[in-house]
Amino acid sequence: RQVSFEIERSGERVRGLARGVDRAHLDRLARGEIEIDLELDLHGLLESEARSLVRATLREAYDDGDRCVLLIHGRGKHSPLGPVLRDALPAWLAEPPTDRLVLAFATARPDDGGTGATCVLLRRRRR
């Protein structure tokens, strides 16, 4: 069954929280209080390539017990179509099978890439 998300957008910033998850997780993530375990740079990829790579990387990170992944997608400054990856990312995170891995996501803090990156908090892996 699909996990639904509450997604908030404000200008170039986005935040998402799986329904039923304590909002404190999202707040800590957005404040940068959760250590980033893994970074994935999506610059230069086509939308379909980026989507597949995000899915595979988040699955692998979850399987490895990582909790926080920084997805670097850029701001679309060099794209004639604008921020394609940034705009598509929330939907990718909220769709099966990735939705079952994600607790929350938020636009990165300025030090971590700002609106050109998104931090994703993964669920704890069940043993």
Side-chain angles (χ1 to χ4, degrees), residues 8 25 36 40 54-55 60 67 72-73 92-93 102 104:
E8 308 164 0
H25 291 297
I36 295 168
L40 175 64
V54 164
R55 280 181 147 179
E60 191 173 310
R67 290 300 308 280
I72 304 163
H73 42 68
W92 300 346
L93 298 174
V102 176

Side-chain angles (χ1 to χ4, degrees), residues 7-77:
I7 298 175
E8 308 164 0
R9 294 177 191 271
S10 176
E12 294 183 346
R13 305 188 72 75
V14 66
R15 294 164 48 117
L17 181 67
R19 290 210 192 276
V21 173
D22 187 341
R23 187 163 199 84
H25 291 297
L26 176 59
D27 294 338
R28 287 183 58 231
L29 182 68
R31 287 193 304 262
E33 294 175 6
I34 300 174
E35 185 177 340
I36 295 168
D37 297 309
L38 181 68
E39 293 183 12
L40 175 64
D41 191 340
L42 302 169
H43 282 101
L45 297 179
L46 297 174
E47 186 174 358
S48 60
E49 295 168 331
R51 182 175 174 236
S52 294
L53 188 56
V54 164
R55 280 181 147 179
T57 300
L58 292 181
R59 177 84 239 179
E60 191 173 310
Y62 172 82
D63 289 344
D64 289 346
D66 291 335
R67 290 300 308 280
C68 187
V69 179
L70 181 67
L71 302 175
I72 304 163
H73 42 68
R75 296 178 56 204
K77 295 289 186 195

